[in-house]
Amino acid sequence: MDLVRDTGRTVARHVNSVFQNREPWQIVMITTTTVLGGVWLLDFFGQEEGVVSRSKKHFFRMARKIPFVQAKITEELEKRAKEFEESAIKQSAGLSYITNLPELGYSDEKILELVDSHLQLGNYKWKEGRVSGAVYYYDPDLVALTQTVYGRASYTNPLHADIFPGVCKMEAEVVRMTANLFHGGPEACGTMTTGGTESLIMACKAYRDYAREVKGITKPNIVMPVTAHSGFDKAAQYLNLHVKTVDLDKATMSVNIRKMEAAITKNTIMLVGSAPNYPYGTLDNIEAIAKLGRKYNIPVHVDACLGGFVIIFMKRAGYPLPPFDFRVPGVTSISADTHKYGFAPKGSSVILYSDKKYRRHQFTVTTDWPGGVYGSPSVNGSRAGGVIAATWATLIRFGLDGYTEATKRIVDTAKYIERGLRTMEGIYVYGQPATSVIAFGSSTFDIYRLSSALSALGWNLNNLQFPPGVHICVTFMHTREGVADKFLQDVREQLKEILKDPGRPVEGAMAIYGVAQSLPDRSLVGDFTRVFLDAMYYTPPPETSKNGQLKEH
């Protein structure tokens, strides 16, 4: 105690000597500046995002304000916008645009004729299995069934449970069937959503609110692999969360568990693992992630949106996987898309929880609205009962045997393609693909050249970055006779041509992709992406008369 008192007196004497000859206003200014500076430093170094990352963003933000830099960026954006719009016009194949409501409504025949014309646009023959992912199943008999079911339920809305109890029952059954497939216990629960992204947003919302109420966390962060789906980033932007990404183990291309543990803080509200991940199709070590969740008392989400309705049938199909579902202690939620390998129409997914205490925090409840007490299970208020009914019908139409047989055919085909790619000179396969996605790259040439060459032959693959790569997501469409062999043959032939001059740079649209990957200022890439998204909504500008007035239609 004497030491503490002596130290205190020494500090006090030093402070008094510093301010001894100061004017009162100077003392006030120095004190205020010191306090405010200390608060600023505390805030600067106390933020979840790293100092280096924030400093880099600040540097590029300031650089973009330099007039000549700003002018150059604007010029480039306008150039890209024009290119994207020209592409949109070209893809419309001369079809006229309807930009005003017609005075008289069209006939049913005319409408169906226009619908058919629009659906025939596009250069890729997805019904022939030329597309990676996107369309996971196509069978005219299933289409006819889901069209009929959707049509009968198309004007129902489960928001009004008292009016449409049957649709609510169907949703509950879809959730329970899926929970049972993932070995959920009696307390397992969930909801349907409109897709994988909404399922991820709902999980993030549930854990954010749970952490705030139960743990008092007000600056929440998510710890996840760098390969986790961008839906988590979207959720973070919507819900004011900070995302902490973790690098992969370069050999397995799954998340590095040691680095994941190092990224955990007192503000971490959830850990994420993918089963499998989108870029490489590899399976994160869910048991190890769940062990971290138990150790630090953090919920663990397994994102099985892409391959959920494959992995749950793989053991039955003869391809056992390491544990990944609710059988693993510590796994508290799972997302799985019924509109992918569940083969249901687009617009359906399921988010599952191990316990109702988590799902209750997903719900949005308003108690003081003049319109009454309002409760909604997911993002949407009104929801499409037709999608729920069509999903329900699809699940019970396939059954265990149907999904198992489809899984066996899909995984057999994926393994066949993987083996073929591994034998080819000039490319290599990333990691050990677990299910239906095979990613490959090259150390010899620019891999986007191969992607571009295959695109010219009618194959639509998915391009990857950091590192550069390409992947094919094998669907039921690829299991048809001859499709996999044709793909491997085309890859092999294009490789022969590319390897004649491996150093040649990529050209055309793929060159833009390569340049974007190399830009250190990622905000520029974001701007280019926004310009592309703008072009998706292109319609011709309104016509004007000679006096500058808009023409009436």
Side-chain angles (χ1 to χ4, degrees):
M1 290 298 293
D2 291 338
L3 178 62
V4 173
R5 279 195 295 267
D6 291 343
T7 302
R9 291 193 189 102
T10 301
V11 172
R13 282 196 299 269
H14 178 71
V15 171
N16 288 335
S17 66
V18 170
F19 288 98
Q20 186 174 11
N21 298 317
R22 302 279 184 180
E23 294 287 338
W25 69 268
Q26 291 177 313
I27 296 174
V28 171
M29 288 297 295
I30 292 172
T31 303
T32 303
T33 303
T34 302
V35 171
L36 292 177
V39 171
W40 182 87
L41 285 171
L42 185 64
D43 179 68
F44 184 79
F45 288 102
Q47 293 185 33
E48 291 288 351
E49 186 177 6
V51 174
V52 174
S53 175
R54 280 181 287 133
S55 299
K56 186 187 297 183
K57 289 179 181 178
H58 179 71
F59 171 79
F60 287 123
R61 193 160 48 240
M62 296 304 294
R64 293 185 64 169
K65 292 182 179 181
I66 300 172
F68 81 88
V69 174
Q70 195 173 53
K72 184 64 177 176
I73 291 173
T74 301
E75 178 187 349
E76 191 66 24
L77 287 174
E78 290 175 350
K79 178 182 176 182
R80 295 304 176 197
K82 190 172 186 303
E83 290 176 354
F84 291 144
E85 286 188 0
E86 289 173 351
S87 176
I89 295 169
K90 183 178 179 181
Q91 287 187 328
S92 70
L95 285 180
S96 60
Y97 285 82
I98 302 173
T99 56
N100 292 293
L101 279 174
E103 292 291 337
L104 296 175
Y106 291 5
S107 68
D108 292 356
E109 292 78 10
K110 177 64 174 177
I111 292 170
L112 291 175
E113 179 186 332
L114 286 172
V115 168
D116 287 340
S117 296
H118 283 77
L119 293 179
Q120 288 169 8
L121 296 178
N123 300 320
Y124 295 105
K125 299 178 180 179
W126 56 270
K127 291 182 182 179
E128 297 179 9
R130 291 286 180 133
V131 173
S132 170
V135 181
Y136 291 80
Y137 192 89
Y138 182 79
D139 173 58
D141 292 337
L142 179 61
V143 171
L145 173 65
T146 54
Q147 281 179 337
T148 301
V149 172
Y150 187 98
R152 293 182 181 181
S154 58
Y155 282 84
T156 65
N157 181 2
L159 177 65
H160 303 282
D162 53 341
I163 302 175
F164 304 108
V167 174
C168 293
K169 176 177 177 290
M170 288 179 179
E171 179 180 10
E173 290 176 357
V174 169
V175 170
R176 176 47 55 188
M177 283 188 282
T178 308
N180 288 344
L181 287 171
F182 283 97
H183 298 93
E187 290 301 307
C189 57
T191 71
M192 286 186 66
T193 67
T194 57
T197 294
E198 188 186 357
S199 290
L200 301 183
I201 292 173
M202 290 293 88
C204 292
K205 193 268 186 190
Y207 291 138
R208 182 199 66 174
D209 292 359
Y210 176 81
R212 183 168 56 202
E213 179 178 313
V214 175
K215 300 180 181 179
I217 294 176
T218 57
K219 293 184 178 180
N221 70 60
I222 303 168
V223 175
M224 67 183 199
V226 69
T227 47
H229 195 273
S230 288
F232 288 104
D233 293 294
K234 182 181 286 189
Q237 292 177 37
Y238 286 169
L239 301 171
N240 196 26
L241 308 173
H242 177 66
V243 173
K244 303 184 73 173
T245 55
V246 182
D247 290 336
L248 306 183
D249 179 294
K250 299 304 180 184
T252 64
M253 300 305 283
S254 60
V255 69
N256 186 307
I257 298 299
R258 179 181 57 79
K259 291 183 178 180
M260 174 170 266
E261 181 170 17
I264 295 172
T265 71
K266 60 183 177 61
N267 290 322
T268 301
I269 63 167
M270 67 187 293
L271 305 178
V272 174
S274 301
N277 63 52
Y278 170 84
Y280 309 112
T282 52
L283 193 72
D284 288 321
N285 189 337
I286 302 302
E287 289 181 292
I289 297 172
K291 185 177 180 181
L292 292 179
R294 297 195 306 273
K295 179 178 179 179
Y296 295 99
N297 189 28
I298 300 171
V300 172
H301 179 80
V302 175
D303 177 18
C305 286
L306 172 59
F309 274 78
V310 171
I311 58 175
I312 52 179
F313 302 109
M314 282 186 67
K315 183 176 180 181
R316 287 172 57 94
Y319 292 100
L321 291 173
F324 54 82
D325 57 15
F326 288 125
R327 288 172 294 181
V328 180
V331 170
T332 53
S333 59
I334 300 172
S335 53
D337 285 0
T338 39
H339 70 192
K340 288 191 173 75
Y341 291 103
F343 307 141
K346 287 299 179 183
S348 70
S349 177
V350 177
I351 173 65
L352 303 170
Y353 300 96
S354 61
D355 193 285
K356 291 184 176 66
K357 69 180 181 181
Y358 299 120
R359 184 177 66 175
R360 288 181 183 131
H361 286 86
Q362 174 183 305
F363 299 157
T364 299
V365 176
T366 303
T367 59
D368 301 323
W369 180 41
V373 176
Y374 178 88
S376 174
S378 57
V379 170
N380 296 296
S382 293
R383 292 185 293 149
V387 171
I388 292 172
T391 301
W392 175 86
T394 303
L395 291 179
I396 60 177
R397 182 182 188 272
F398 273 88
L400 277 173
D401 285 347
Y403 281 120
T404 301
E405 174 59 26
T407 295
K408 179 169 176 51
R409 289 181 61 176
I410 290 167
V411 178
D412 283 351
T413 302
K415 298 294 184 186
Y416 178 76
I417 291 175
E418 179 190 344
R419 288 193 297 271
L421 292 174
R422 288 188 185 277
T423 66
M424 297 182 192
E425 182 185 357
I427 60 173
Y428 56 85
V429 173
Y430 283 109
Q432 295 294 329
T435 56
S436 56
V437 174
I438 308 106
F440 47 98
S442 176
S443 301
T444 308
F445 61 91
D446 188 330
I447 192 64
Y448 300 134
R449 285 181 61 192
L450 178 58
S451 180
S452 180
L454 291 172
S455 178
L457 295 177
W459 295 100
N460 181 272
L461 305 182
N462 302 101
N463 295 311
L464 314 174
Q465 60 177 355
F466 309 130
V470 180
H471 89 207
I472 179 170
C473 178
V474 177
T475 69
F476 196 83
M477 318 292 283
H478 296 102
T479 68
R480 294 173 178 172
E481 186 175 355
V483 175
D485 285 324
K486 178 59 176 170
F487 174 73
L488 291 173
Q489 176 188 340
D490 286 349
V491 173
R492 194 174 287 109
E493 290 178 354
Q494 294 310 307
L495 278 174
K496 288 180 182 177
E497 291 301 312
I498 291 171
L499 291 175
K500 290 177 182 178
D501 184 11
R504 190 163 61 114
V506 66
E507 299 173 349
M510 294 300 170
I512 297 176
Y513 205 94
V515 170
Q517 187 178 192
S518 65
L519 287 175
D521 183 2
R522 305 309 294 169
S523 67
L524 282 176
V525 182
D527 286 342
F528 287 132
T529 305
R530 292 180 183 93
V531 168
F532 171 77
L533 293 173
D534 280 339
M536 289 174 57
Y537 294 90
Y538 169 82
T539 55
E543 295 182 27
T544 57
S545 61
K546 290 182 179 179
N547 63 5
Q549 299 296 313
L550 289 177
K551 288 183 178 180
E552 295 290 338
H553 289 271

